[in-house]
Amino acid sequence: MGDDELARAIESLKAEVEEVKAQGLKLDMARGKPSPAQVDISRPMLDLLTSDADLTDEGIDCSNYGCFEGIPSARRLAGAFLGVPADQTIVLGSSSLNIMQSVLIHYWEKGVPGYTPWYKLPRVKWLCPSPGYDRHFGLTQDLGIENIPVRMTDEGPDMDQVEYLCASDDSIKGMFCVPKYSNPTGITYSDETVRRLAVMKAAPDFRIVWDNAYAVHDLFDEGDKLLNIHDVAREVGNEDRILEVASTSKITFPGAGIAFFGSSAANVEEVARTLQVGLISANKLNQLMHARFLPDLDAVKAHMAKHAEFLRPRFAAVEEKLTEGLGGLGCARWTHPRGGYFVSFDGPRGSAKRIWQLCADMGVTLTPAGATWPDGNDPDDTNLRIAPTYPSVDELKAALDVLVLATKLVSAELAQEERVA
């Protein structure tokens, strides 16, 4: 556009913004929550444990104390999720985030066996693939660990950067990974990336938190395939490196599911000793209910196919609205996930905070700009996370129209400012 044409376009877009503001919208695309209709899919599970139900699991009385590691049927389900033998799992409460925090605090206070507790070291660093999951970054930041962003690629984290940093700096003690349908990009790590993470040179007490939150969250019958990192790590003697977690939070009831921890036999035994000090056992009745509702991975996949029926139209709406409104303009790009819960959106350099604020002014709530980077510091100020799962399809489309409008206006204003400068 010429200068005059661009100025007219900006005035037209501003007029559209005022029209939207007058509508008084209240739409939310901020957090990745299942819709109420999705949660209802799991209601039949609540009928499984009645007052006259058998409350034992292979000889374990689920109504009483004991069985810290989890009941046998739930541990088998955990092993199937995590790709490790059932006896290398622990089944705990509803939150995998809480498991991650407990394990990190354990290493912070006591250290990896045979090594100095992390709190006694002059400096501890942690690698954070970015854009990534804000709650991950909060775990390490809360302990005073220095978060180091690592750029995400279409194959996973930039492994040239990861390998260089880990080989050259022993103060790097770990790394967060969401390996399948990563939050928020939706990409699945390639086989090569998984292998390089398992075999690369790093400090001997280096740990990878393998948060496989979306292991079964496929949108289509043929989902992405993720290489089992435990198998690769075991072959090269690095099995202690991998600390995997998952949960049923977006499978059954968010906040009332069961969460899994899986690692090497040595890690599970050693971490369990500390966790047992403050926990006799998790909610075994909840474990029993879940294991009877979802006895194996085939049952899980059948259940997740029902979730996918709700999710596919929402992800299709994102693709439709963004392509319709922004395709070919050169001012935005976004990911095209085949599963998970998010779409990663990038506007022009210096745009994300302005787009976020303009959306908020028009009644649409997004995850705050910068949240997908450690310390909220997106170096290019480009990234926003779209969470399409909770609103109805019509509400989602309305919210996406607002995002498109905000992106057009901010992009045009940035272009105008660049010309003036």
Side-chain angles (χ1 to χ4, degrees):
M1 292 182 176
D3 290 350
D4 291 342
E5 186 182 6
L6 180 60
R8 288 194 298 272
I10 288 174
E11 290 308 309
S12 176
L13 291 167
K14 285 182 175 178
E16 287 187 54
V17 168
E18 293 306 315
E19 291 176 6
V20 174
K21 287 181 180 179
Q23 296 176 24
L25 299 176
K26 292 184 178 179
L27 303 170
D28 191 345
M29 292 196 297
R31 303 304 307 188
K33 299 191 296 186
S35 67
Q38 275 183 263
V39 176
D40 285 347
I41 296 170
S42 299
R43 280 182 173 266
M45 184 176 71
L46 301 177
D47 299 326
L48 295 178
L49 295 190
T50 62
S51 60
D52 59 355
D54 176 11
L55 300 183
T56 63
D57 184 74
E58 300 181 27
I60 301 297
D61 181 357
C62 299
S63 67
N64 214 319
Y65 290 124
C67 201
F68 165 80
E69 295 84 359
I71 64 175
S73 59
R75 293 185 80 188
R76 281 196 299 274
L77 183 63
F81 260 84
L82 304 177
V84 295
D87 61 4
Q88 290 177 213
T89 68
I90 303 174
V91 184
L92 292 166
S94 64
S95 172
S96 56
L97 190 72
N98 183 249
I99 296 174
M100 289 183 262
Q101 182 184 42
S102 296
V103 174
L104 290 177
I105 290 174
H106 170 72
Y107 290 140
W108 180 259
E109 294 178 341
K110 296 187 175 181
V112 171
Y115 297 93
T116 304
W118 291 348
Y119 83 92
K120 291 185 176 181
L121 299 174
R123 198 170 189 182
V124 178
K125 302 175 186 176
W126 201 270
L127 300 187
C128 301
S130 304
Y133 182 31
D134 53 343
R135 293 189 185 277
H136 279 168
F137 309 151
L139 294 176
T140 40
Q141 184 178 6
D142 185 61
L143 290 172
I145 293 172
E146 180 183 350
N147 287 331
I148 307 296
V150 173
R151 285 266 182 193
M152 283 289 285
T153 74
D154 291 339
E155 304 289 316
D158 183 336
M159 285 307 301
D160 289 342
Q161 185 182 8
V162 170
E163 288 171 340
Y164 171 78
L165 290 170
C166 288
S168 59
D169 189 348
D170 278 351
S171 70
I172 296 174
K173 298 301 182 186
M175 178 178 182
F176 291 118
C177 291
V178 183
K180 186 173 180 181
Y181 304 134
S182 189
N183 179 355
T185 63
I187 67 99
T188 297
Y189 290 14
S190 69
D191 289 358
E192 180 186 4
T193 295
V194 173
R195 289 191 181 96
R196 291 172 72 176
L197 286 167
V199 307
M200 68 181 182
K201 180 182 178 183
D205 53 348
F206 177 87
R207 294 293 182 263
I208 296 176
V209 174
W210 198 250
D211 185 0
N212 210 352
Y214 307 106
V216 295
H217 294 68
D218 304 311
L219 288 176
F220 306 98
D221 291 341
E222 287 298 320
D224 289 356
K225 304 300 182 186
L226 177 68
L227 185 66
N228 187 330
I229 194 170
H230 299 282
D231 291 342
V232 182
R234 193 180 307 112
E235 290 174 2
V236 295
N238 285 340
E239 61 266 35
D240 291 343
R241 177 178 290 181
I242 313 303
L243 310 169
E244 187 173 4
V245 296
S247 78
T248 66
S249 288
K250 292 183 175 71
I251 298 173
T252 56
F253 295 100
I258 55 177
F260 312 129
F261 171 73
S263 187
S264 67
N267 277 351
V268 168
E269 180 182 356
E270 193 258 337
V271 167
R273 278 199 298 270
T274 289
L275 297 183
Q276 280 181 291
V277 173
L279 179 66
I280 297 173
S281 68
N283 185 339
K284 296 191 294 298
L285 292 179
N286 198 23
Q287 293 177 22
L288 183 64
M289 185 166 55
H290 275 79
R292 289 181 179 174
F293 188 60
L294 302 170
D296 52 37
L297 273 189
D298 286 339
V300 172
K301 290 176 181 177
H303 187 68
M304 295 309 296
K306 298 176 184 178
H307 280 286
E309 291 177 9
F310 286 90
L311 295 177
R312 275 195 301 270
R314 288 166 166 81
F315 279 86
V318 174
E319 191 65 35
E320 172 195 337
K321 284 294 184 179
L322 295 185
T323 301
E324 176 186 282
L326 299 171
L329 297 184
C331 64
R333 64 183 185 274
W334 56 93
T335 56
H336 316 279
R338 293 178 51 79
Y341 258 62
F342 305 102
V343 174
S344 184
F345 179 90
D346 283 288
R349 185 182 178 93
S351 69
K353 290 179 181 177
R354 289 169 64 166
I355 292 172
W356 179 87
Q357 185 60 61
L358 190 53
C359 285
D361 294 342
M362 288 188 279
V364 173
T365 302
L366 295 167
T367 303
T372 54
W373 286 75
D375 305 313
N377 182 27
D378 178 350
D380 295 324
D381 187 26
T382 62
N383 189 252
L384 291 166
R385 186 181 76 169
I386 298 174
T389 57
Y390 189 79
S392 70
V393 174
D394 288 341
E395 290 173 335
L396 175 62
K397 288 182 176 180
L400 290 163
D401 284 338
V402 170
L403 174 61
V404 166
L405 175 57
T407 302
K408 285 181 176 179
L409 177 54
V410 170
S411 299
E413 289 175 336
L414 287 169
Q416 187 180 59
E417 291 164 11
E418 186 177 341
R419 294 181 189 187
V420 171

